[in-house]
Amino acid sequence: MLARITQADKKTLSLFVEGVSLEARTSRVISDLQHQVCADRIDLSNSFLVSADKLLRTRPGQYRSAISRYYYSMYHSARAVVYFAHGGDDHEKHSVLPTKLPGDFPNSSFWQNELKDARLNRNSADYDPYPSSWRHWQALAKGLSATAPNFLQLATQYLKQKGCAHV
């Protein structure tokens, strides 16, 4: 242990100190805190799902906003899975995250494509003035209203099966 301390640079030593401090202040080990982070991301994902469902049901429907919320539900579910599988938040970029779903995630390739498509639809809904037809956005929102909860459920089951303690 002393060899690690003597060879550590200043940044590494400060990270050691921070880790000890986090564990002391929370009375929890770092791995338990990581599990909590995953559970909190799943909770955030669920809150976006609830918001999206409400936006879909309003009259008139807020379809563009619902698409955005459904995407963010999927994004945070994926982020929890990827964080847990890779042991850190190294892949949070929207374009990278889908490619980092673990190979043992159910239908991983399918869900990678679904995440990419949901992101493209979210970008269009948020930034593009066309098409202006609400029917176009309604169809996309309704599709995501089935996809997003399925993905959240799979992500939750995956984390439980992998031993995430707080999901």
Side-chain angles (χ1 to χ4, degrees):
M1 295 305 270
L2 288 175
R4 288 203 57 202
I5 298 297
T6 194
Q7 295 170 355
D9 60 20
K10 186 175 184 175
K11 181 179 179 183
T12 302
L13 286 173
S14 70
L15 293 174
F16 289 162
V17 170
E18 183 179 15
V20 170
S21 174
L22 283 170
E23 288 186 352
R25 286 184 304 177
T26 62
S27 299
R28 296 166 74 179
V29 296
I30 298 293
S31 61
D32 188 55
L33 294 171
Q34 289 175 293
H35 288 226
Q36 185 65 57
V37 165
C38 292
D40 291 345
R41 278 227 185 265
I42 291 296
D43 288 344
L44 182 59
S45 173
N46 190 60
S47 74
F48 282 127
L49 187 63
V50 169
S51 295
D53 287 341
K54 286 179 185 175
L55 290 163
L56 190 62
R57 288 191 308 266
T58 62
R59 293 296 169 245
Q62 301 295 307
Y63 304 121
R64 287 175 178 255
S65 294
I67 290 165
S68 182
R69 297 301 88 188
Y70 283 128
Y71 166 71
Y72 277 107
S73 173
M74 294 174 70
Y75 171 81
H76 286 290
S77 293
R79 201 157 166 199
V81 167
V82 170
Y83 177 89
F84 193 81
H86 293 278
D89 200 22
D90 303 314
H91 310 293
E92 77 278 4
K93 287 183 70 171
H94 294 265
S95 60
V96 173
L97 185 67
T99 68
K100 299 302 180 179
L101 280 178
D104 65 346
F105 188 83
N107 299 314
S108 181
S109 295
F110 171 80
W111 288 110
Q112 285 179 18
N113 288 327
E114 290 294 311
L115 280 162
K116 288 175 193 174
D117 290 347
R119 178 175 172 245
L120 292 173
N121 288 328
R122 193 272 308 175
N123 286 346
S124 292
D126 284 351
Y127 301 116
D128 295 344
Y130 305 108
S132 56
S133 165
W134 62 269
R135 292 186 198 288
H136 170 81
W137 303 111
Q138 180 187 42
L140 291 175
K142 285 188 175 182
L144 285 171
S145 74
T147 303
N150 287 341
F151 186 67
L152 172 57
Q153 182 181 20
L154 273 176
T156 302
Q157 289 172 347
Y158 178 86
L159 289 168
K160 284 180 182 178
Q161 290 171 349
K162 291 295 180 179
C164 187
H166 300 291
V167 176

